[in-house]
Each structure stands twice: as structure tokens, then as C-alpha cells.
Amino acid sequence: MGTPQHPVTLLESFSPYGSRKVTVEYDGLVTAAYLHDDTAAISATWIANHRPAPQATDQARLDAGRAPLMPAARTKHPGGRPPLRADTLQALWFEEGDGVAILESGRPLAVIAGWSDMDRGMPGYSSDVIGQTPFGWSLDDAMEGLAPRLERSRAYWRWRQSANGWSQFQQALLGHLQPRLGPGGHYWDASAGKQPLTGVTERPTSARRPYTVLSTVGMSAQRMPVVEQVLDDPSGYARIELAVATTLPSAQVARVFLWLATYPWHAVTWFGPGHSVRWYHEPATFPLGGGVPGAEAVLLLDSPGSLDGPEPPDLSGFAFGGDPVRWLWIIPISERDRQLAKDRGSSALVSRLATQHRSWIVGP
């Protein structure tokens, strides 16, 4: 029959971006998967019973903080199934890094998606579940939507791990910027060799442009997390690059990308037009502080032309993974500005900045 024992970890895997961890645990009676952030489990799914199923949920196991035995009417294996073997289990992370599939001998056994959330009553999906329960939803019922997602994830990581994938992407994006911004100057690594790989390309001043443009290279190589949870059609917003126009020293300004270029994947969030982000450190260390006294945050705009300054360059026209890439321009703002955007929307802040004749070009 089996008796409860101290849970054994059959699988532990960290997302490629280091922001999530999945564990598969077995306690002699039940196997379950848990998705963790830095501090706690944020979602979970029951995977299998290993003894005959009860007729109803075992409240005592729940009260003890244990994964429950799935009731007989809700599992494909009411008699229980043999314990899973650790050497047959593998994690397949979503491109965004916020969700994961557990594969058994290459076949989907369970999925905890980015939108799975225990606090909202949305557990993960399991291949042994029938219907919807508080501890897991049927994976079979969800595969129409999830199967293409898992195939894209497989293909994405194959590309990511290929010998030439990154350099081909890099060259394509740099080639896209060349006719729009002119020849490149310096190039900096913004990710310290960790995923997601990102760089910063400098396009110095020229006869036709009295300011330098710095742009990220690589943010659009992977979709951002969360976008699909807040937008019905995320395709036009899922991939971005960031840019800043400036007359300040490039090496100083480029430091802002060490903070922002990998932020969405490490913080499991997204950047969109009108979003604002507060500098994480002392205001005196803010890299763009020389452009706007008192600045300690940034506003991200895809159409900064409503602010003072010449017509911004059009960087549109690049696509990756079937999605258009959107460039968001960085505008330094004060904390008071950020609160205004938070309370009344970014359009109210843009109107205020325009009234103050603020330029979208960062300079002294």
C-alpha cells in the first residue's frame, strides 16, 4: 500500500534565467511538482498516486502540508501507478522562463505554466488528471494549446544552444540598425555571459545626427514573461529592444543597460510602452542622472517624438520568431514623475514633460 515518507526530490531544475526553480517530489504515496521563485513555491501540480485512490480528498494530508492523494474519480489510474524513475524525468522550460513542462521519457507528464498560480486557484496540468481539481488540471484537455507551445520551446532551446544561433541573430540585428543609425562604434556585453545574452551597440554622432544612440542587442531574442497574461494578443509586445539617445559620454550611459537589459527575465515581468522602472540603488549612482537632475527612474516610450527634439529615428521593421520587435526609448524621470505615471497613466506624465519642454534626448 505504501506509507508516507520524507519527500525525495526526483528532479530539480532552474530556469535558464535563474528566476524560477521546479522540483518533482515523491513521498511514497504521491508525486507532485512545485514551481518556486526566490522565496517560496508559487504553483504546483499533483502528478501521480502510488497507492489506490481514496473516494474523497484526504484533508489530513492537506493540513500537514503534503500533496493530497487524487480522488479515484479524478485520476486515470485509480489503483495507483508505480513510482516514477528520476532518470526518465526532464524539465523543458518555456522560452520566457516563467513556465516549465516535466517530461517523462520525452513525453509531457505535467506542465506548470507562467499563468499557473496557487493563490488564484490555478494549479498546473497533469497527464493523469481527469477534469479540473484544486490540485491539478487535465493536461489532455489543455494540449491543443500547450503542444505547439512545448514544440516552440524545444525548437527555441535547440537554437539557443546551437553553435551559430546567437552570432547570426547578433549580425542580423546589427545589420538592421546600420542603415537606420549609421556605422557602429563601441560594443559592450550587458549580461556577463549569462542568459539572456545581451549586448549594447553604440551609434556615434554623425553629420546628420548630433546625438549618439545606444541600443540593446539581444533582448528580442526571447519573448518576455507575463505579456500573454495581460494582453489578448501579445505578439506585438512580446519582443523588445531598448534604446537611448544621448549627448552624455557613451560609456557612462551604457551602464543603464546593465540594469535594464536582462531585467524582465530575472524579475519575471515585462516592459511595454509607457512603463516606468525605478532605479534600484542610491539616486546618486543613477547612470542617467547627469541628463536630468534628480532623476532616479526611467520611462519607456515607443514614440518619444511628442517630447522636444528632432524626429526620432524609425527602428521598426525587424522581426524574430515570427514577432515584430518594438524599440522602447529610455527617458530619465524623477520619482515624483514616476508616481504621476503610476497614479494617472503615462500619457499624463508625457504631457507634463512636453509642457516642460523636456527632450527625448538625454543630455546636460
Side-chain angles (χ1 to χ4, degrees):
M1 293 283 285
T3 55
Q5 61 190 46
H6 189 72
V8 174
T9 299
L10 301 179
L11 175 72
E12 179 180 78
S13 174
F14 288 86
S15 85
Y17 312 122
S19 53
R20 292 282 185 264
K21 178 181 77 170
V22 67
T23 57
V24 177
E25 298 179 5
Y26 163 69
D27 71 358
L29 301 185
V30 173
T31 297
Y34 302 89
L35 186 66
H36 307 255
D37 63 10
D38 287 343
T39 56
I42 51 177
S43 195
T45 187
W46 170 93
I47 288 180
N49 289 349
H50 303 295
R51 55 156 286 179
Q55 294 306 304
T57 302
D58 182 350
Q59 191 61 41
R61 277 183 64 89
L62 275 177
D63 292 344
R66 287 305 208 19
L69 285 151
M70 188 63 73
R74 293 299 191 178
T75 171
K76 292 180 185 176
H77 302 281
R81 57 180 281 180
L84 302 175
R85 286 176 35 207
D87 61 358
T88 66
L89 301 180
Q90 176 189 3
L92 173 63
W93 288 93
F94 289 8
E95 174 182 342
E96 299 87 344
D98 59 348
V100 64
I102 306 300
L103 309 180
E104 182 185 26
S105 300
R107 294 186 300 275
L109 177 69
V111 175
I112 305 180
W115 55 85
S116 299
D117 185 337
M118 289 190 297
D119 292 342
R120 293 189 293 158
M122 296 175 69
Y125 305 86
S126 170
S127 62
D128 281 6
V129 172
I130 297 171
Q132 292 188 356
T133 81
F135 320 115
W137 290 359
S138 166
L139 182 59
D140 290 353
D141 294 348
M143 277 304 279
E144 183 179 352
L146 286 174
R149 182 63 169 273
L150 300 186
E151 198 44 55
R152 283 201 309 272
S153 298
R154 275 194 182 97
Y156 178 77
W157 294 113
R158 272 199 306 270
W159 169 79
R160 221 9 158 169
Q161 290 154 12
S162 67
N164 300 318
W166 166 244
S167 60
Q168 287 172 350
F169 172 89
Q170 209 177 20
Q171 292 309 311
L173 184 47
L174 293 172
H176 170 79
L177 294 175
Q178 178 93 8
R180 292 161 177 82
L181 295 175
H186 285 92
Y187 185 91
W188 296 273
D189 173 28
S191 54
K194 297 178 181 177
Q195 295 289 358
L197 296 178
T198 49
V200 181
T201 178
E202 175 196 37
R203 305 290 154 150
T205 57
S206 65
R208 60 176 187 166
R209 197 184 65 237
Y211 56 87
T212 295
V213 174
L214 303 176
S215 170
T216 57
V217 175
M219 292 183 73
S220 62
Q222 52 282 307
R223 283 180 150 221
M224 289 181 291
V226 182
V227 186
E228 63 189 353
Q229 297 169 42
V230 293
L231 297 176
D232 291 335
D233 181 10
S235 65
Y237 295 86
R239 298 187 191 275
I240 65 158
E241 299 287 350
L242 297 178
V244 62
T246 187
T247 55
L248 294 171
S250 293
Q252 171 194 328
V253 173
R255 285 174 31 230
V256 80
F257 295 111
L258 298 176
W259 166 48
L260 292 174
T262 60
Y263 190 109
W265 297 274
H266 293 160
V268 190
T269 188
W270 69 294
F271 290 160
H275 287 193
S276 54
V277 193
R278 185 179 183 181
W279 176 240
Y280 69 97
H281 204 24
E282 292 294 320
T285 65
F286 182 54
L288 306 183
V292 177
E296 52 180 306
V298 296
L299 175 68
L300 305 175
L301 297 178
D302 59 349
S303 301
S306 49
L307 301 180
D308 276 16
E311 184 71 19
D314 179 6
L315 302 184
S316 64
F318 187 72
F320 186 71
D323 302 318
V325 173
R326 184 184 295 263
W327 262 263
L328 299 178
W329 294 86
I330 295 171
I331 312 295
I333 57 173
S334 67
E335 177 59 15
R336 181 167 167 251
D337 290 335
R338 194 181 74 85
Q339 286 298 331
L340 172 66
K342 194 174 172 184
D343 296 340
R344 293 176 47 200
S346 59
S347 57
L349 173 57
V350 171
S351 295
R352 177 202 273 181
L353 297 178
T355 302
Q356 296 171 350
H357 298 289
R358 175 77 67 82
S359 174
W360 63 276
I361 298 170
V362 182

